[in-house]
Amino acid sequence: MSNFPQDAGRPYAVALAELLVRTGAVRTQTWEQAFASVPRHVLVPSWYEQETDARGIAVWRRRGATEESGLADVYRDVTLVTGLDPATAQQVDEDAWTGVATSSSTIPSLMAGMLEDLDIQDGHRVMEIGTGTGYNAALLSARLGEEFVHSMDIDQQLVDLAQKRLDSIGYQPQLLSGDGTQGWPDGGPFDRIMATCSVPSVPAAWVEQLRPGGVLLTDVAFGIEGGLVRLSPGSDGEARGFFTTNTGRFMAARSHARTYQAQDRPERAPAARSRPSTLTANAIQAHYPLRLALAFQMPGTELVYYVDDTEGMSIQLQRDDGSWARVPIAGTSGLVTFGGDEGLWKQAEEAWAWWNHADRPAQDRFGYVREPDGSAYARYLPDGSRWSLAG
């Protein structure tokens, strides 16, 4: 627990709520009141911030609301990393670790945008997938009343800790440890379901546990990019909707609390040649909707950052067959180097040309449909163009 009393955070919570209103993340008074009333410092008493130490090593340092400036820091509009993968975490000095982040308290402006997009009304029963620190469950409880709030997390330790901290500020929502992709059969049906973790496709259980007219909001990952989709159930397991104007990526859903799946990296094809390209790394970095278009039109392709002593950092697209293509980030050059199938980058150029020809549509011009058999496709809403996605 934080060393500061609960009421000590009130001025900072009010200031955060006012900031979220000014930036447009909060659009309704009920959510402004929720953000102003929930003491984030009790739910997130400590976190990790990444920095580069004197040896040039990127390390995580623990920060906390017990420090002199910590109370103000915890109410910043930033994501606060709260957990590191125990398999990769290594202490490098008395207060610094290396490792992969596995849990966090999401940036409040994104949470506010998602909560507004859900269009929650009085009396709605809500299920949250990904309890984490309990901050979002507290916001939901402040808005609806704890009896309408259900929250799940795969990690029993996180659930227990969140429950203890929520109890201390007067909230007792229904919490459960379990595989969130299976939903909460005994708790449904729900009017709203929101997932603060990413999934490669929308689980059938979520659609089945929604009431007719309900809303599901989740982050779907497609390889190159992913996005927040807002869906409503149709018939026989179908769900359809659209990508929201909010952007943000969540950590992947896990089926086991202490399992953090490592990526198997196939051997890459040797470099073949280089050639000029109309598509640059800067364009890919700058345009989130373009990355979505690339993901839709290039299934099975992954985007990674590649570093070598000659080119520096590049954006690389790659596939499981070992093919790859990359363009350097430095400068504005569109010189692409590739190995394996040259058609990989040609597909990227075709997607870039399509996106420009369509007048560079924003992400909310794309729809998402989950079929009854679990397969899915993306749609370009103005003309109905569609691309099959992993199911």
Side-chain angles (χ1 to χ4, degrees), residues 250-312:
F250 288 94
M251 296 170 186
R254 292 176 281 136
S255 58
H256 301 284
R258 299 302 166 197
T259 299
Y260 306 88
Q261 185 172 353
Q263 290 272 3
D264 291 328
R265 299 296 184 189
E267 183 177 348
R268 295 292 158 201
R273 64 185 181 88
S274 300
R275 65 170 176 82
S277 175
T278 56
L279 178 57
T280 66
N282 290 338
I284 295 173
Q285 283 188 306
H287 302 296
Y288 167 74
L290 167 62
R291 297 193 299 276
L292 271 184
L294 290 170
F296 299 156
Q297 299 182 42
M298 302 177 67
T301 305
E302 181 185 22
L303 185 153
V304 299
Y305 286 90
Y306 178 89
V307 181
D308 70 13
D309 294 335
T310 303
E311 297 177 345

Side-chain angles (χ1 to χ4, degrees), residues 64-237:
T66 57
E67 299 173 2
E68 185 175 348
S69 62
L71 192 55
D73 285 348
V74 77
Y75 288 93
R76 292 171 295 165
D77 188 28
V78 298
T79 294
L80 300 175
V81 170
T82 54
L84 302 177
D85 175 3
T88 63
Q90 180 179 352
Q91 192 164 9
V92 295
D93 63 36
E94 61 182 12
D95 67 345
W97 291 261
T98 58
V100 177
T102 57
S103 62
S104 64
S105 176
T106 302
I107 181 171
S109 54
L110 175 56
M111 297 310 306
M114 292 177 68
L115 292 166
E116 291 281 13
D117 284 343
L118 280 170
D119 189 26
I120 290 172
Q121 303 297 319
D122 292 348
H124 276 172
R125 303 181 74 252
V126 179
M127 176 172 68
E128 175 197 22
I129 309 297
T131 305
T133 64
Y135 182 51
N136 195 55
L139 292 169
L140 287 165
S141 297
R143 166 65 181 87
L144 286 170
E146 60 191 30
E147 66 272 22
F148 296 103
V149 179
H150 299 68
S151 184
M152 295 183 66
D153 201 289
I154 192 67
D155 192 327
Q156 182 69 60
Q157 293 181 20
L158 286 181
V159 170
D160 292 343
L161 192 55
Q163 184 69 73
K164 179 179 178 181
R165 291 170 177 167
L166 286 163
D167 285 347
S168 75
I169 60 174
Y171 294 126
Q172 293 184 323
Q174 323 307 306
L175 301 188
L176 178 70
S177 173
D179 183 353
T181 62
Q182 302 304 306
W184 194 329
D186 294 336
F190 298 99
D191 299 285
R192 299 290 186 267
I193 297 175
M194 67 180 303
T196 54
C197 56
S198 71
V199 290
S201 59
V202 176
W206 297 356
V207 180
E208 293 165 358
Q209 291 169 31
L210 266 178
R211 282 194 173 128
V215 175
L216 161 65
L217 186 61
T218 185
D219 175 20
V220 183
F222 305 111
I224 288 177
E225 188 53 272
L228 290 169
V229 294
R230 185 185 191 274
L231 306 173
S232 291
S235 59
D236 300 325

Side-chain angles (χ1 to χ4, degrees), residues 222-380:
F222 305 111
I224 288 177
E225 188 53 272
L228 290 169
V229 294
R230 185 185 191 274
L231 306 173
S232 291
S235 59
D236 300 325
E238 183 196 64
R240 61 177 57 227
F242 54 87
F243 289 80
T244 75
T245 56
N246 289 301
T247 61
R249 301 310 313 279
F250 288 94
M251 296 170 186
R254 292 176 281 136
S255 58
H256 301 284
R258 299 302 166 197
T259 299
Y260 306 88
Q261 185 172 353
Q263 290 272 3
D264 291 328
R265 299 296 184 189
E267 183 177 348
R268 295 292 158 201
R273 64 185 181 88
S274 300
R275 65 170 176 82
S277 175
T278 56
L279 178 57
T280 66
N282 290 338
I284 295 173
Q285 283 188 306
H287 302 296
Y288 167 74
L290 167 62
R291 297 193 299 276
L292 271 184
L294 290 170
F296 299 156
Q297 299 182 42
M298 302 177 67
T301 305
E302 181 185 22
L303 185 153
V304 299
Y305 286 90
Y306 178 89
V307 181
D308 70 13
D309 294 335
T310 303
E311 297 177 345
M313 183 173 288
S314 300
I315 282 182
Q316 177 166 298
L317 300 182
Q318 58 188 35
R319 288 185 176 150
D320 287 344
D321 65 1
S323 297
W324 57 270
R326 59 176 174 260
V327 287
I329 290 176
T332 58
S333 169
L335 187 69
V336 57
T337 302
F338 61 88
D341 181 10
E342 185 177 359
L344 171 61
W345 195 257
K346 288 181 179 178
Q347 277 191 281
E349 290 171 323
E350 290 169 0
W352 165 242
W354 176 90
W355 187 67
N356 280 288
H357 181 72
D359 293 328
R360 300 190 169 194
Q363 67 267 21
D364 60 348
R365 305 301 287 162
F366 295 103
Y368 180 92
V369 178
R370 182 199 186 276
E371 301 276 29
D373 65 0
S375 62
Y377 63 87
R379 295 187 302 151
Y380 179 50

